[in-house]
Amino acid sequence: MENQFKGYENTFAVTLRSMMEEHPHTGEKTTQKALAKAIGIRPQTVSLYMDGSTQPTAENLFKIAKYFDVSVDYLLTGVSSENKEVHKVLGLSEGAVNLIKRAHDTDKFGSCSEVVLVLDELLSDVDFYRFLEDLSFKMENLKKLAQMSPDQKEKMMPGLNVEGYWAWDLNAYVQEFIKKELEKRGISLRQD
């Protein structure tokens, strides 16, 4: 059985690399040198943590969690105990839950921010889910098309740049959805 705690794709290494690339609270990039200095180890050791060659001691794990202001369970499993139920029920990632919380917390006046209100409206609208299903379908088709040879593409629709057309169609579909959503909110993008 493969050791789930060792190797490049282990949860801790993946989570650490992700947080180094974009701090979960500030969005800033963290260097190996900065993290190493903050927890009292060598940058090379951080590199070994990031590639999954070795795991931190319990003390260093706690220091890393404190540095990024996340829980140790999040570092080890990718989901904090605080968000475990939301993850289990909705399947949202830790990052998604934290960004929603951050959007909610940014309002200085004690009410939901505009971002949260728009998000709530979208998540309450059946058209949004239809849009996501169609978008996923169109993106999957574009991925499959990208893997085809030029001859296969030409046979599909002779004389037409199928990939270019499907990319244009996807772009137009997204633009139309956004336009409709803006119009629902009383904003028109008419070009007179």
Side-chain angles (χ1 to χ4, degrees):
M1 183 170 120
E2 184 182 346
N3 186 344
Q4 65 181 6
F5 299 109
K6 289 255 185 206
Y8 190 77
E9 292 303 320
N10 83 66
T11 303
F12 172 74
V14 170
T15 303
L16 181 61
R17 287 192 305 271
S18 173
M19 290 189 311
M20 297 281 294
E21 192 61 36
E22 184 176 338
H23 191 288
H25 301 292
T26 66
E28 307 264 329
K29 187 171 183 153
T30 302
T31 64
Q32 292 177 10
K33 186 176 179 180
L35 180 60
K37 183 177 179 184
I39 63 175
I41 59 175
R42 299 175 311 138
Q44 295 87 343
T45 304
V46 173
S47 177
L48 293 173
Y49 293 166
M50 290 174 67
D51 73 13
S53 297
T54 189
Q55 296 291 302
T57 62
E59 180 181 353
N60 286 345
L61 188 64
F62 179 76
K63 289 177 181 178
I64 293 169
K66 188 174 180 180
Y67 179 84
F68 287 107
D69 192 26
V70 297
S71 63
V72 170
D73 57 330
Y74 173 67
L75 286 175
L76 296 175
T77 67
V79 179
S80 69
S81 57
E82 172 185 325
N83 296 332
K84 195 171 197 162
E85 195 58 33
V86 173
H87 175 72
K88 183 179 175 183
V89 172
L90 300 177
L92 294 175
S93 69
E94 185 79 6
V97 173
N98 286 334
L99 286 173
I100 292 169
K101 286 179 181 178
R102 186 165 66 180
H104 185 270
D105 293 343
T106 56
D107 187 14
K108 300 172 184 116
F109 304 107
S111 61
C112 288
S113 70
E114 279 298 313
V115 172
V116 173
L117 294 174
V118 170
L119 185 58
D120 184 59
E121 286 178 30
L122 282 173
L123 295 176
S124 301
D125 187 349
V126 71
D127 290 338
F128 179 64
Y129 294 96
R130 286 188 190 118
F131 166 75
L132 291 178
E133 287 173 359
D134 291 346
L135 183 66
S136 296
F137 177 75
K138 289 174 182 282
M139 289 180 354
E140 195 57 40
N141 283 339
L142 260 176
K143 286 180 191 175
K144 289 177 185 173
L145 191 62
Q147 295 171 351
M148 291 181 180
S149 71
D151 289 341
Q152 290 172 313
K153 292 175 192 176
E154 177 64 25
K155 287 178 185 176
M156 287 180 73
M157 298 175 97
L160 179 69
N161 175 352
V162 179
E163 197 167 1
Y165 173 76
W166 284 9
W168 170 85
D169 179 60
L170 176 64
N171 186 33
Y173 184 71
V174 171
Q175 287 180 3
E176 185 62 26
F177 177 79
I178 292 170
K179 180 181 169 196
K180 286 178 184 176
E181 287 302 311
L182 290 171
E183 287 171 355
K184 283 181 188 177
R185 290 164 181 77
I187 301 169
S188 176
L189 296 180
R190 287 185 305 162
Q191 298 174 359
D192 295 328

